[in-house]
Amino acid sequence: MKQFDRRDFLKSSAAAALAGSSSFGVLSRALAADPINFFAWSAGVDQVKSHISAFEAKTGLKVAYANAPWAQYRDTLVTKFVGGAPLDVLWVSDSWLPEWAEAGWLAPIDGYRELTKYNAEVDDFSTKSMTYKGKQYGLTYYTDYMGFFYDEQMLKKAGISAPPKTWDEVVQQSLKIKKAGLSEYPMMLSMARETWLIEFISAMVFSHGGRLVDDTGVAVMDDRRKGAREALTWVVDAVNKHKIVSPACVEIGELNGLKAFSSGQHAFAMLGRYRVRTLNDPKQSQIAGRVKQGLMPAGPNGSHATVGWNRFYGLTASAAKNKAKAADAVKFIEWFGGKADGKYAFQKLMFMDVGAGFAVKPLFKDPEIIKTYSQYSDIKMYERQQALARKKDVVSPWFGEWDEVNGTAWQAAILGKSSVNDALKRSADTWNKLRRRS
Amino acid sequence: MSIRAGALRGVFGAPVSRYDQASALWLLAPMLAVLLVVAVFPVLYSFWISLFDLRLTRPHRVPFVGLDNYLEVLQDELFWSSVWRTTSFTLMSVTAIMVIALAMALLLNEEFRGRRFLSAMLLVPWAIPYVANGLMWKWIYDSGYGALNGLLFQLDFIDKYMVWLGDSHKTLALIANAFVWKEVPLATILLLVGLKSIPADLYSAARVDGADLWRRFVHITLPALRPSFMLVMIYETMMAIRHFDLFFILTEGGPAEASHVLAWQVYVETFRKLSFGTGSALAYIMALVTFLLAFWLIRTLGRKL
């Protein structure tokens, strides 16, 4: 019997390798292929995982999914980008888009018709929120807006038959409720220094007919006619003159505001629209069944406009450079942000499971969604207010830096440490300085 | 192995051979390498960074600016108001810690029923992590449903709920209170150790000489306690200047700028604005101030140890 020498061993090894590579070609490609690196914040993790599994089964592609808490998301991602970590698709907040686009970390998706075709069915402000310098950078994952809510029962007890349509009416009705001894501070406003503050501020400013920054990017918040003066004056007066908003509003964050309103301490509240599900849930709210959504009250020169926000699937510049990788990433983005098997499956899943808002208009007609939403709120009002939502006008590469100063300036005015004009001038000066520097 | 005349001498004066010197160096080498990597290199590198306008969100343009970041920080009004707030916070906190810890240590130095239980209870705040401590105080101070308002209201001290952290006149003092609560146990233990080391004979002799309680405290306890006192004061001063956790959890520097201290400013510059150049410069200035203060404390007060 011939001995199995070193040469034979090498020959047979090479043959085995060749056979293996051809027989298990498909499998090995799937296993060894570079996965789509998807990074998100830790929301709806189970829903994301199940939708990824469906994607993998459908396409044979692999996805490496990782997440980080929302509070540390921006820092984590910036560090990953700078460090060159593998990232292909990620969740992006509209607030960070200019910063990340300017840094060259995100790639526009305008060239991918399979993604942009969905714009026709998406709310306009949502698409605008994903657009920077004329280029679209993603497909929506979750969209919502700042809503105005009231405790219908408390209003009735005070002899009020209809919710306020204007901010003046909010004052009048609040004073009536206060006089009736139903609430010490009928209006709940969260003005604590946190990421939500700019949404509260923007909603107040937009509904008063003002702007913080105009379309050319120039600060107008200190402009007497078209700025934020009326909005900030209303807040300052509500706290200090009418005493319908608690002076503690500067320490009340969005979550604490939700708790305070759901404990029955207030008649009116400005909160993220999606909070209505919690507010009317008997397990989580003492005023369940009594909370209704009204249109955002209008200022003397304003409208029922509010601020909307958008979170979307972004394609990284590094993925876009690699044609094969980009093709896979685009399939993934469409599966999540567009339609999967002909349906807006993921957006519906997130709405049904966690109450997350959506920007794709056909879902407003979905019988299952209508039925579910009617259990705790009015879908017509949801849709009507969303149509009046606007994107934040201050989103810019220097937004983070300016936001620090602006939040402080608004708080200083509320606390009486500076005048409304001085606060807005400080905010505008900082904006202009940062804009010049960049 | 040979021992050269005039060679190094060890702790007990015995000459140290070349072999021992080399062995010591080799044995210390791994730890020195670790220290170089985890301590010396980051310190030097952060100084290097402080000389550049490094913004993480602008990775392709990192100009060398020399000492401009330092000048920018020193010309910033917010920096100087932060220095003032940090000083106020430190003075308030350290004074309160020293007074309360001394009183607690004197109490626990006496023999009485329940002393051991009280000693064990004293350790509870120390055992609580800073973040948990911050969240607990956030709940206590909450203006809507906080325990402090609930207690004062039930005791009829107030007729309606008060605004605590949201009142810029009270904010710093309230944060100092939470800091003191956490720091007093360690300070008490350190002072108690000092108290235990005072010979009982001194007190007996003073009693024989007719010294009353106050005189015994002033002429025996306080001088003997000075080393522990200095140690605690220097340690707590450093802790107060650098403290960040409670500012982050309770107020995020607000309301307005009421709790915007130096440590918070370093965080904002570095991790919110992602401006590592000015953040590093600020951290260096803060480290230098802390070092100089510690040096001064040790030179002026510590020499009496």
Side-chain angles (χ1 to χ4, degrees), chain B residues 81-150:
Chain B
S81 59
S82 301
V83 169
W84 171 241
R85 270 180 228 110
T86 307
T87 309
S88 305
F89 174 76
T90 305
L91 283 174
M92 265 190 281
S93 306
V94 175
T95 307
I97 289 169
M98 299 310 292
V99 171
I100 297 168
L102 180 62
M104 293 291 287
L106 288 170
L107 177 69
L108 293 174
N109 197 37
E110 298 299 316
E111 285 298 331
F112 61 90
R113 198 179 165 84
R115 188 177 65 89
R116 284 179 188 281
F117 176 74
L118 193 63
S119 303
M121 290 302 291
L122 178 76
L123 294 175
V124 171
W126 194 30
I128 294 176
Y130 260 114
V131 173
N133 181 46
L135 292 171
M136 182 186 78
W137 282 100
K138 195 175 177 71
W139 175 74
I140 291 171
Y141 290 148
D142 189 279
S143 307
Y145 53 80
L148 182 59
N149 267 334

Side-chain angles (χ1 to χ4, degrees), chain A residues 72 74-75 78-79 82 99-100 102-105 184-185 193-194 246-248 250-251 256 259-260 265 397 400-401 404-405 407-409 411-412 415 417 426 433 437-438, chain B residues 55-61 72 78 138 141-145 160-161 163-169 251-258 260 264 267-268 271-275:
Chain A
Q72 285 86 44
R74 175 175 168 253
D75 312 351
V78 169
T79 312
V82 172
E99 185 181 85
W100 294 6
E102 287 285 346
W105 295 327
E184 189 179 2
Y185 299 112
R193 291 259 295 271
E194 57 168 10
S246 169
V250 291
E251 60 162 280
N256 270 358
K259 285 180 191 168
Q265 292 178 30
E401 277 188 70
E404 285 290 325
V405 177
T408 302
Q411 285 196 336
L415 292 169
K417 289 184 163 291
R426 186 179 169 201
K433 185 179 148 199
R437 195 186 66 187
S438 83
Chain B
R55 291 166 197 278
L56 281 196
T57 51
R58 198 192 56 198
H60 309 300
R61 190 158 58 90
E72 190 184 320
L78 188 57
K138 195 175 177 71
Y141 290 148
D142 189 279
S143 307
Y145 53 80
K160 64 174 187 175
Y161 276 22
V163 177
W164 298 110
L165 291 169
D167 182 340
S168 57
H169 299 105
T251 57
E252 298 208 10
E257 285 160 356
H260 193 109
W264 176 253
Y267 169 76
V268 168
F271 296 105
R272 291 226 169 145
K273 298 182 181 177
L274 297 173
S275 178

Side-chain angles (χ1 to χ4, degrees), chain A residues 154 182-186 259-267 287, chain B residues 144-145:
Chain A
M154 197 183 285
L182 295 168
S183 167
E184 189 179 2
Y185 299 112
K259 285 180 191 168
F261 186 53
S262 60
S263 71
Q265 292 178 30
H266 307 281
I287 55 171
Chain B
Y145 53 80

Side-chain angles (χ1 to χ4, degrees), chain A residues 171-190:
Chain A
V171 173
Q172 299 315 317
Q173 292 190 5
S174 294
L175 291 172
K176 204 169 175 183
I177 290 163
K178 203 173 158 78
K179 200 174 174 184
L182 295 168
S183 167
E184 189 179 2
Y185 299 112
M187 176 73 202
M188 198 292 295
L189 263 185
S190 305

Side-chain angles (χ1 to χ4, degrees), chain A residues 14 39 44 73 78 95 99 103 107 200 236 262-263 274 288 316 328 340 358:
Chain A
F39 204 87
Y73 192 76
V78 169
S95 299
E99 185 181 85
F200 288 112
V236 170
S262 60
S263 71
Y274 68 97
T316 64
D328 291 348
F358 49 82

